[in-house]
Amino acid sequence: MTEEIVIAGFGGQGVLLAGKLLCVAAMRRGLQVSHIPSYGAEMRGGTANCSVVISTEDIPSPVIECPSVVIALNGPSLVKFLPRIRLGGMLIWNRSLIAIAPSRSDLFSFPLDATDISLANGTERAANMVAIGALLRLKPNLVSMKSIEAALDEVISSRNRKYNSLNLRILSVGYEMAEKIVANK
Amino acid sequence: MLGKVLMKGNEALAEAALIAGCRHYFAYPITPQNEIPVYMARRMAELGGTFIQAESELAAISMVMGASAGGVRTMTSSSSPGMALKQEGISYLAGAELPCVLVNVMRGGPGLGGIAGSQGDYFQATRGGGNGDYRTIVLAPGNAQELADFTVDAFDLADEYRIPVLILVDGYLGQMSEPLTLPKPNGKKFEKSWAVRGSEGKSKNIIASLRLVPDSALEVHNLHLQDKYEKITEEVRHVDEYRCEDAEWLIVAYGAAARVARKAVDSLRTGGTRVGLFRPLSLWPFPDRELNEFAKEVEKVLTVEMSLGQLIEDVKLSVNGEAEVDFYGRAGGAVPTLDDIIGRIYSYEHQDHTHVQAS
């Protein structure tokens, strides 16, 4: 099993943190992981992204050409990564901030009102948690909710750990949203 | 994976330097190695060590020279264009036989180039960009674990041979996070009776790279250095031989390029192709005899690098005509692809078959 996941959004939407959470959770399950942030000449307000590889085998390169999963938290990220998703891959996209539905039909597309769900829970900054929650449901063999919970304690700095329960709650809303989408398909 | 930590390569390297007892670190910022100074700035304050963001790369390497002359473990890090600026100091350190650890997290060049990872400084690292007949030991880690482990080794090698040791990393290894187990302090101690620590009641120690008197002094010193380099060449030969035993084709690669090559070896072996990976872990000294032995047994050697014809020079010198040497390289931040490597090895097999059919 190898998943090559790109998580992308605005700077500040927590894409690097989301990637790190997945990595730590998968690492604790005994899987091989790599995480690399994009560090091109990114502009303020532009896209930030990270590439996460989770595998049962050694990981040759942390750089992902054709991701198996893309989480796009804003419009520019969708534009950038949609063409690169592999055939039959998965796209999780933030419908709250992306007005036009993605044009490809050769992949599994899951719209999430990620920012709206986050706002409804009192913060605009947890769209990343909604998406990770959904991913947990859509890729059930990747990492468990329990391992993500442990990873939160490990990854989040002590200063921000007070938000862990809120993050977890929003994560499970994302999980349930994905559950509904799967049930309706 | 229990007990492992997920760390960025640059941070794993920095923490390992602290574990090795480095308390004097000097640098000037440059991407993609900036996590090292950021990490050191925080940790040196916690540990009561010295962190200085120097006014330039040359200032940083000169501070390393001063700290090393004082007998402490010291390090600087930079990336390609910044490393070019340090060459004057590296030559002086080598000439004065001062131990230190240097880190180059390579980015694409020439010039300011770009900020994505590359292996374009192989020549600079192994041939030396400074003046004079000198060498630095060059270590080439390939993952976060090796970044940490080799850093501890680098400090020991530097002290043992009184030589600058360069850890050659590419930007991808520096930037990526991977699980690793942090090394434990190994407790090795090195007597530094040559250090300049104040001479009250003792004879003076003088550390210099200028040697004018007598006329023969500089040649004598150079011959002494050569003896030392000869000794290192015999004693420090690090290589990882992966599935090489019965190989028909051999790939030579280091660092991030070697990770892709290793995967290609696994894929090709699954399909019945007998291919192995020879991964030098020390680039100077280069494990030439070891490679030559394998070259005698294989049909062809493929050099894979993230540069356009640098590693291949050492490969050819080592192979010394025992096998044909082919080349596949990417540059400017590009990473060799699995498909390209596999395709290249397949093409050798295919050529072989057409040759058999034609005859």
Side-chain angles (χ1 to χ4, degrees), chain B residues 43 68 77 81 94 101 120 128 146 157 188 199 202 218 229 246 257 273 275 303 311-312 345 355:
Chain B
R43 293 282 284 136
S68 179
S77 60
V101 172
E146 289 181 353
L157 288 168
K188 283 189 190 167
S199 62
K202 299 180 285 188
L218 189 54
Y229 297 151
D246 60 340
T273 303
V275 56
T303 307
L311 170 67
I312 194 171
I345 301 285
H355 174 71

Side-chain angles (χ1 to χ4, degrees), chain B residues 148-184:
Chain B
D149 293 345
F150 289 15
T151 300
V152 175
D153 289 346
F155 279 99
D156 290 344
L157 288 168
D159 282 347
E160 184 175 348
Y161 296 106
R162 290 186 60 184
I163 190 172
V165 177
L166 171 60
I167 305 172
L168 194 64
V169 187
D170 59 75
Y172 291 107
L173 290 174
Q175 287 294 315
M176 76 186 284
S177 301
E178 277 187 308
L180 77 150
T181 308
L182 283 169
K184 296 213 159 36

Side-chain angles (χ1 to χ4, degrees), chain A residues 11-52:
Chain A
Q13 279 185 308
V15 299
L16 298 185
L17 173 67
K20 210 157 184 197
L21 269 182
L22 280 178
C23 280
V24 169
M27 175 176 81
R28 295 287 169 242
R29 278 195 58 202
L31 294 168
Q32 301 292 334
V33 299
S34 76
H35 173 281
I36 193 164
S38 86
Y39 58 107
E42 303 291 6
M43 293 176 300
R44 189 180 159 91
T47 62
N49 69 77
C50 68
S51 300
V52 171

